[in-house]
């Protein structure tokens, strides 16, 4: 058994200049020692919530003779009467100051941590992305429903169109409505939609974006599956119109209504084109020719189909316009589509040539004539494009021409020389068209808009290339002709 002194510990305290002896067992708890010190200091127990020197809740400090802090616990080192410990109670204000200091340190650490790892920015970004994803899911769901409804309505529209005019628009006992055996063109539809938005036509005229989508889908479905006059041609013409508007800064010259008319006429200009031109329609006395009295039957039909589509509320991008404004737009679109009849080319270009040298942008007649020439330029602008883009379009056009001439021969109708597969080659088809139609028209427009010089240069290069090809063809034909003559002479001998 150990002695009592080995079990008990003696601590001497300096309390206000007097020595206070405190004896406790080494088995005492921190709480018991705290009670003894409170008694020695004469401090009521209630006012001392905790006594751990090293804990942030400590309300007193225990210092040795050197001023060093001593922990208050059963293992604290004992001392003597000469080396008593001093007790220093902490007031409520001191505690509050330390608490505030500690909180400030924690706040600064949190701020530095937040800055280092960009916590707030990350939280904001995550929140925004979640909101965007939720919105996208919602919009995609709406889009799927709308597109499905579009296809349903378009099918219904195609079925109802013939009965609207008490006619079936028959040609060779086939309806001139679109067939769905051509691949969908989502990228071209998206680009057309972008053009309307980029020109501020959607926002500026408060168009319903869903209505615009539905209208473009309906337009796509009402272009025929022809080698040339198809939806891709519609897109190319509209894209060229958009390019000329931007290149020539036409928005600074024309009103926004004029821009809307130019773009929409380009989109609609060949709706339900059957692949056989006006000459065939008139000579074959088709229903379209009879209906429109041999006057631009195809162009009149394109206009009629366009406004049959606009008559459907879900496809009417002009629904926000009042009756008078719509009348103006309708007349403008009809005027431009009718101007695409190549039979009127000389008339329209001559009229423009007489105006261009004294052109007045405040004169409505001058502006209308310019718009007619612009859509004509866009309609026949393939050769403005790079050769690798333009040349396949020539092949498509000749294929459509040859289909018509074959049909004309089969039906004993007059055959257009420039469509006869026995007489036409690619160079002979293009040289005259570029030299006498395209270049003169674009050069006339260049008098008003010098910027389009970049469009005329490809035309000249294309003309030169086809002339070289023609020389090669002529040389080969000459060689072939001499071979035939020599063969014939040899047989005679």
């Amino acid at each position: 058994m150990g002695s009592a002194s080995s079990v008990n510990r003696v601590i001497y305290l300096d309390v206000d200049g007097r020595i206070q002896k405190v004896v406790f067992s080494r088995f005492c708890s921190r709480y018991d020692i705290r009670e003894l010190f409170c008694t020695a200091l004469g401090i009521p127990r209630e006012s001392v919530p905790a006594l751990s020197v090293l804990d942030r809740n400590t309300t007193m400090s225990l210092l040795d003779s050197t001023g060093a802090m001593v922990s208050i616990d059963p293992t604290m080192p004992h001392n003597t009467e000469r080396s008593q410990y001093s007790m220093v109670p902490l007031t409520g204000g001191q505690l509050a100051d330390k608490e505030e200091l500690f909180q400030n340190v924690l706040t600064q650490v949190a701020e530095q941590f937040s800055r280092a790892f960009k916590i707030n920015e990350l939280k904001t970004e995550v929140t925004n992305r979640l909101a965007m994803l939720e919105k996208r899911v919602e919009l995609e769901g709406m889009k799927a429903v709308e597109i499905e409804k579009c296809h349903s309505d378009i099918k219904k529209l195609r079925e109802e169109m013939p009965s609207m005019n008490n006619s079936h628009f028959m040609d060779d006992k086939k309806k001139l409505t679109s067939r769905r055996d051509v691949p969908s063109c989502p990228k071209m539809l998206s680009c057309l939609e972008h053009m309307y938005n980029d020109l501020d036509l959607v926002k500026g005229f408060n168009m319903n974006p869903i209505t615009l989508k539905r209208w473009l889908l309906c337009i796509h479905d009402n272009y025929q599956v022809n080698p040339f006059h198809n939806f891709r041609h519609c897109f190319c013409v509209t894209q060229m119109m958009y390019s000329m508007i931007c290149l020539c800064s036409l928005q600074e010259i024309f009103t926004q209504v004029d821009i809307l008319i130019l773009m929409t006429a380009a989109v609609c200009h060949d709706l339900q084109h059957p692949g056989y031109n006006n000459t065939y329609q008139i000579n074959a006395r088709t229903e379209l020719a009879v209906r429109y009295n041999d006057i631009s039957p195809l162009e009149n039909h394109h206009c009629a189909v366009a406004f049959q589509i606009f008559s459907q509320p879900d496809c009417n991008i002009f629904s926000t316009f009042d009756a008078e404004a719509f009348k103006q737009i309708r007349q403008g679109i009809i005027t431009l589509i009718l101007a695409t009849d190549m039979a009127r080319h000389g008339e329209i270009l001559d009229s423009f040539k007489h105006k261009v040298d004294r052109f007045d942008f405040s004169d409505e007649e001058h502006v209308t004539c310019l718009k007619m020439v612009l859509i004509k330029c866009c309609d026949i602008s393939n050769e403005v494009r790079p050769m690798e883009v333009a040349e396949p379009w020539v092949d498509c056009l000749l294929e459509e021409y040859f289909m018509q001439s074959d049909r004309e021969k089969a039906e004993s109708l007059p055959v257009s020389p420039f469509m006869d597969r026995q007489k036409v080659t690619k160079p002979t088809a293009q040289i005259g068209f570029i030299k006498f139609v395209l270049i003169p028209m674009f050069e006339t427009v260049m008098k008003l808009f010098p910027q389009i010089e970049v469009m005329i240069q490809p035309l000249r290069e294309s003309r030169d290339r086809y002339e070289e090809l023609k020389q090669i063809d002529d040389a080969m034909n000459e060689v072939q002709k001499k071979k035939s003559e020599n063969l014939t002479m040899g047989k005679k001998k």
Side-chain angles (χ1 to χ4, degrees):
M1 297 291 292
S3 65
S5 62
S6 65
V7 175
N8 296 329
R9 300 186 68 80
V10 179
I11 296 297
Y12 294 93
L13 301 177
D14 179 0
V15 180
D16 296 331
R18 58 187 177 86
I19 299 174
Q20 187 73 277
K21 181 180 179 181
V22 179
V23 181
F24 56 89
S25 168
R26 64 186 178 86
F27 300 112
C28 284
S29 66
R30 182 185 298 246
Y31 177 81
D32 294 331
I33 299 172
R34 182 187 60 188
E35 290 288 335
L36 289 172
F37 283 5
C38 284
T39 302
L41 289 171
I43 300 173
R45 169 67 190 87
E46 300 78 37
S47 65
V48 187
L51 292 172
S52 173
V53 171
L54 299 178
D55 190 272
R56 72 185 182 91
N57 292 323
T58 300
T59 58
M60 63 174 65
S61 294
L62 188 63
L63 308 177
D64 64 13
S65 58
T66 64
M69 298 181 70
V70 181
S71 64
I72 301 176
D73 59 51
T75 62
M76 62 191 296
H78 65 273
N79 59 356
T80 65
E81 291 184 39
R82 293 183 179 180
S83 59
Q84 68 270 17
Y85 294 148
S86 300
M87 294 295 297
V88 182
L90 299 179
T91 65
Q94 290 173 314
L95 288 174
D97 291 342
K98 286 195 174 185
E99 178 71 18
E100 182 179 356
L101 177 62
F102 188 73
Q103 289 296 335
N104 288 339
V105 171
L106 285 178
T107 301
Q108 291 176 12
V109 170
E111 289 177 353
Q112 291 175 4
F113 186 82
S114 177
R115 282 197 298 269
F117 293 95
K118 298 183 178 180
I119 299 298
N120 292 333
E121 292 87 340
L122 183 61
K123 285 171 63 178
T124 302
E125 184 177 353
V126 170
T127 302
N128 291 340
R129 289 197 177 188
L130 283 174
M132 288 173 61
L133 285 173
E134 290 172 356
K135 187 67 175 177
R136 184 177 296 176
V137 169
E138 179 183 352
L139 290 175
E140 289 298 325
M142 291 173 61
K143 187 186 295 183
V145 172
E146 284 294 338
I147 289 176
E148 184 60 32
K149 189 171 187 297
C150 279
H151 286 297
S152 173
D153 290 353
I154 290 167
K155 181 180 178 182
K156 181 180 177 183
L157 178 61
R158 288 202 307 272
E159 293 171 351
E160 292 178 352
M161 268 190 179
S163 61
M164 290 178 186
N165 285 333
N166 300 317
S167 168
H168 295 285
F169 295 122
M170 299 296 287
D171 182 11
D172 196 24
K173 299 183 179 180
K174 293 181 181 179
K175 292 183 182 179
L176 302 183
T177 52
S178 90
R179 299 170 300 196
R180 293 311 302 269
D181 55 340
V182 74
S184 178
C185 304
K187 289 185 178 179
M188 286 190 284
L189 289 169
S190 295
C191 286
L192 290 172
E193 187 179 347
H194 167 75
M195 293 174 201
Y196 271 73
N197 278 284
D198 189 55
L199 294 173
D200 200 31
L201 301 178
V202 178
K203 185 178 180 181
F205 293 120
N206 196 26
M207 286 184 194
N208 185 332
I210 297 298
T211 303
L212 178 63
K213 290 178 185 289
R214 294 164 68 84
W215 173 66
L216 289 172
L217 279 168
C218 194
I219 290 293
H220 170 269
D221 276 28
N222 278 278
Y223 268 88
Q224 297 285 80
V225 187
N226 299 315
F228 184 90
H229 291 98
N230 50 43
F231 182 71
R232 287 183 180 275
H233 169 66
C234 154
F235 173 79
C236 288
V237 173
T238 309
Q239 184 269 337
M240 185 60 68
M241 180 65 78
Y242 171 78
S243 299
M244 294 194 79
I245 290 171
C246 297
L247 180 65
C248 302
S249 302
L250 295 183
Q251 284 184 296
E252 298 176 7
I253 299 170
F254 292 159
T255 66
Q256 277 296 84
V257 170
D258 286 329
I259 300 297
L260 178 64
I261 289 171
L262 284 168
M263 288 293 293
T264 307
V267 171
C268 300
H269 84 284
D270 270 335
L271 279 167
Q272 288 191 4
H273 194 296
Y276 302 98
N277 69 11
N278 281 330
T279 301
Y280 173 82
Q281 304 296 325
I282 294 168
N283 289 339
R285 299 177 184 176
T286 65
E287 185 173 348
L288 287 178
V290 172
R291 170 177 291 276
Y292 296 110
N293 304 309
D294 295 348
I295 301 173
S296 303
L298 288 182
E299 289 71 27
N300 274 294
H301 180 59
H302 305 327
C303 292
V305 175
F307 284 95
Q308 285 169 0
I309 293 173
F310 288 131
S311 70
Q312 305 302 302
D314 289 340
C315 296
N316 184 13
I317 60 173
F318 303 132
S319 60
T320 58
F321 290 88
D322 59 36
E324 189 59 34
F326 177 75
K327 181 179 178 182
Q328 177 190 351
I329 292 170
R330 172 176 161 79
Q331 185 56 59
I333 291 173
I334 291 173
T335 298
L336 296 194
I337 293 178
L338 292 180
T340 61
D341 184 355
M342 284 303 294
R344 299 181 58 200
H345 176 79
E347 163 209 335
I348 294 171
L349 186 57
D350 285 346
S351 176
F352 182 64
K353 284 180 176 178
H354 285 104
K355 295 177 175 63
V356 71
D357 292 329
R358 50 182 179 80
F359 198 87
D360 183 359
F361 283 101
S362 64
D363 188 319
E364 186 177 347
E365 183 183 348
H366 284 215
V367 170
T368 299
C369 188
L370 172 59
K371 289 189 291 184
M372 292 166 71
V373 172
L374 287 175
I375 196 169
K376 285 177 59 59
C377 287
C378 296
D379 189 23
I380 54 178
S381 62
N382 284 327
E383 290 299 333
V384 169
R385 303 175 189 276
M387 181 189 71
E388 60 272 18
V389 177
E391 189 164 6
W393 278 111
V394 179
D395 295 329
C396 293
L397 183 61
L398 289 179
E399 181 184 350
E400 198 167 292
Y401 281 174
F402 295 158
M403 286 171 54
Q404 176 170 322
S405 65
D406 291 345
R407 183 166 179 171
E408 287 170 335
K409 291 174 184 178
E411 296 177 1
S412 301
L413 296 172
V415 178
S416 302
F418 64 89
M419 291 188 174
D420 193 336
R421 68 173 70 246
Q422 305 300 326
K423 301 178 181 179
V424 176
T425 64
K426 196 184 296 186
T428 58
Q430 290 300 98
I431 292 172
F433 185 68
I434 295 172
K435 287 176 66 174
F436 303 115
V437 176
L438 286 176
I439 291 179
M441 182 167 63
F442 274 85
E443 285 182 340
T444 305
V445 175
M446 193 176 70
K447 292 181 178 180
L448 279 184
F449 304 106
Q451 305 95 311
I452 71 165
E453 170 69 24
V454 296
M455 295 182 173
I456 297 176
Q457 186 57 34
L459 294 178
R460 294 169 179 155
E461 292 172 358
S462 181
R463 173 201 60 197
D464 295 342
R465 187 172 65 87
Y466 279 118
E467 285 181 340
E468 289 175 4
L469 289 175
K470 185 177 183 302
Q471 290 176 2
I472 294 172
D473 286 349
D474 290 344
M476 291 179 65
N477 289 336
E478 187 64 27
V479 170
Q480 188 64 36
K481 182 180 178 181
K482 287 182 178 180
K483 283 184 179 180
S484 298
E485 290 176 351
N486 291 336
L487 184 62
T488 302
M489 292 291 291
K491 287 181 178 180
K492 287 182 179 180
K493 289 180 180 180

